[in-house]
Amino acid sequence: MNVIDLSLYLVTDEAPKCRRSLLETVQKAVDGGVSVVQYRSVNPDGGTCYREALPLRDFLASRSIPFIVNNRIDLALALEADGVHIGQRDLPVPIVRSLIGSQRILGLSVSNAAQLQAVDFSLVDYLGMGPVFPTVSKLNAPPALGVEGFAALAATAPVPVVAIGGLNAERARQVRATGTAAGIAVVSALCGAEDPAAAARALLA
C-alpha cells in the first residue's frame, strides 16, 4: 500500500467556478496546509485538460505534494501523475491497478455498505467516502450519509478513508471528532474561497 498524508485533500473544480485561477487556488491552498490535490474536470478534450493540469503537476512536484487525476487513466499516465482516483462507474479496480502499476496511488469512491463490501482492499490505497452532507459540487450524487452514517461505514474499512461532500470548517471538525476519517476532501470550500490559504487553515483547525 502507498502511504500518503490525506489530512486535507483538495479536489479541483472547473476553472470558471474558482474565485482565483486554478493554479493560484492550488498554490494558496497548499500554503494553507493541503496535503493532496486531485485534478478533476468534466472537459472531454484531453489536450485541454493536459495543458491545464501540467502546471499544477509541476508546482505540486516542487512541494512534494501528491498529484492525483480523477477518472482519466490516459491523462494520469500522460502527466506522470502520482495516482488516479476512480468512481463506481469507471473501469474496474483490477484493470486500473494493472494499467497504472503498483507504485501509483489508487483511490476509490464508495457511498454505501454494498460498495464497500465489494472492494478488493489489496488493490486500493484509500477510499473517498460520501457524500457526508448534501453537495452541489457533483451532479447526481448519492444520498448523504450524515456524520454518524459516515463514521459507522468508515470504521469497517481496512484502508484509510477520506470524507467528502458538503464539508466546511465546522462540519470537518464534526467528522474528525469521530476518529474514523484519515482526512477531509473538499471542492468548493477551497476553490470558491477568496483566500484559499486561510480557508485551508480553517479546515484543519
Side-chain angles (χ1 to χ4, degrees):
M1 180 186 297
N2 298 295
V3 180
I4 55 173
D5 179 2
L6 296 163
S7 53
L8 185 53
Y9 190 130
L10 168 60
V11 180
T12 64
D13 208 341
E14 301 300 318
K17 296 181 180 179
C18 296
R19 296 283 290 273
R20 297 174 177 270
S21 74
L22 204 54
L23 180 58
E24 187 178 7
T25 297
V26 169
Q27 290 171 330
K28 290 186 176 296
V30 167
D31 287 342
V34 158
S35 58
V36 188
V37 175
Q38 179 190 135
Y39 174 75
R40 185 172 77 182
S41 176
V42 297
N43 191 334
D45 188 332
T48 298
C49 291
Y50 178 86
R51 289 185 291 272
E52 182 177 64
L54 194 59
L56 306 184
R57 182 206 67 180
D58 291 344
F59 166 72
L60 293 166
S62 74
R63 300 291 289 271
S64 299
I65 301 292
F67 172 63
I68 310 294
V69 172
N70 181 263
N71 295 6
R72 298 280 299 275
I73 290 90
D74 59 339
L75 187 61
L77 294 175
L79 287 162
E80 298 182 319
D82 297 301
V84 178
H85 187 93
I86 59 173
Q88 294 292 317
R89 297 180 181 177
D90 296 317
L91 289 172
V93 166
I95 299 297
V96 176
R97 177 54 81 191
S98 69
L99 290 170
I100 68 173
S102 62
Q103 300 305 307
R104 284 191 170 91
I105 300 160
L106 178 55
L108 174 68
S109 294
V110 297
S111 58
N112 57 53
Q115 291 174 358
L116 184 64
Q117 290 167 5
V119 177
D120 182 344
F121 291 107
S122 69
L123 299 178
V124 299
D125 296 298
Y126 72 91
L127 300 176
M129 188 176 290
V132 183
F133 294 92
T135 176
V136 297
S137 298
K138 190 171 184 179
L139 297 176
N140 302 316
L145 293 168
V147 174
E148 291 183 2
F150 166 84
L153 195 58
T156 67
V159 297
V161 176
V162 178
I164 190 168
L167 295 169
N168 55 28
E170 174 56 33
R171 289 172 169 179
R173 282 190 286 273
Q174 293 176 35
V175 171
R176 283 203 174 91
T178 69
T180 59
I184 300 296
V186 296
V187 183
S188 55
L190 289 176
C191 291
E194 178 60 35
D195 185 345
R201 286 191 288 270
L203 285 160
L204 287 166

